[in-house]
Amino acid sequence: MKEVVLIKISGEDKPGVTACITGILAQYGVNILDIGQAEIHDNLSLGILAEIGSEGESAAVLKDVLFKSHEMGMSVRFTPVSKEKYSHWVAAQGKQRHIITLLARRLTAEHISRVTHVVAAHQLNIDNISRLSGRVELEDDGDDNSKACVEFSVRGDVDQSALRAEFLDISSELGVDIAVQEDSPFRRNRRLVAFDMDSTLIEAEVIDELAKEAGVGDEVIAITESAMRGEIDFDESFRRRVALLKGLDESVLQGIANRLPITEGAERLVSTLKKLGYTTAILSGGFQYFGQFLQQKLGIDHVYANELEIENGKVTGNVTGTIVNGERKAYLLEEIAKSEGISLQQTIAVGDGANDLPMLSKAGLGIAFRAKPLVRENAEQAISTLGLDGVLYLLGIRDRDEI
């Protein structure tokens, strides 16, 4: 009668451990039912679920594995697995799988503890924990440019909305970001990333910068606040603000473009996405002039924004064409995906404002970036702690994978 045994080997990592152990098992024609290996700080943990021919043969196999392990300075432990327990394990493979991503400037035990307590409370099993960020120097005090990320692969049926709500509370309390995604084939095959521009790709609101140059900063701010209170819609508030820019000299636009502050991590993110073959787009309620400036600077594929009308070197106070509002952004995302032959499930949208919510909800992965509470609560994912390149972690890309 065949036996199932879990073989667990641990000790200082060195080349050839797995080759030696599986070489012994191969001599006895052992079937491998499951295998997993992890390494942390040069220490190896190797697990093999083995199906061995018979009780007598099992003794010989395990004796040889024991001797070889001790010869290599490794510890070994054998655990018999009953037929019932194995069958129960096999039956559990149909359960949902999710990826939980924890992002911070520096990870602490409290961060891990709070996340894993929520996981346990929802009766989820953690199958794997993996660090995506690079190794940390001891002198690194978690400054503004440091990054830390750990990914958890969990298994079990769960209400994603309830799980996200609990993680959102922890995120606000501890100053970290926690993302939850279904572990589906689409998560590993995104192809299109669409960005808002103002306060997303750049750390500025261009219309405010233009208003300051035109000497109407206070008036523009008053209209913006009125729109945020719901007193006027986006299109009306946008037209009113643009009207106040009438007479502004065209040369001012170039000066503002040259000093636009690029958001932390934006250049690294776009560069990495391009090397990996992603299509990128700017879908902005701002202005085409500045979108095209960023397109050339960062290498963006598509740009859709509002066209500021200029005549005789002066801003007329009008925009031409269809205003790019929230609904327009969602429509453009879908149209670009169609033209590129990409499923909406393979799209990512990143933005910070309420007018980004339609495209965030339509995309396969919607990310609220350094957004206001209302947007964070209504978006599937949110990044507030790290720079824009934190998006790479949500795609499962490690720092060491950078091309």
Side-chain angles (χ1 to χ4, degrees), residues 22 37 42 117 125 138 153 178 183 188 191 249 283 312:
T22 54
Q37 181 172 306
D42 294 330
H117 272 80
N125 292 100
L138 290 177
S153 175
I178 307 169
D183 190 7
R188 299 180 292 276
R191 305 310 313 153
D249 195 273
L283 306 181
N312 301 319

Side-chain angles (χ1 to χ4, degrees), residues 1-3 52-61:
M1 181 178 177
K2 293 185 177 182
E3 288 191 290
I52 305 174
S54 64
E55 185 175 344
E57 190 174 327
S58 176
V61 173

Side-chain angles (χ1 to χ4, degrees), residues 7-22:
I7 304 169
K8 292 186 283 188
I9 296 168
S10 60
E12 185 180 349
D13 192 17
K14 54 179 73 72
V17 173
T18 306
C20 287
I21 299 302
T22 54

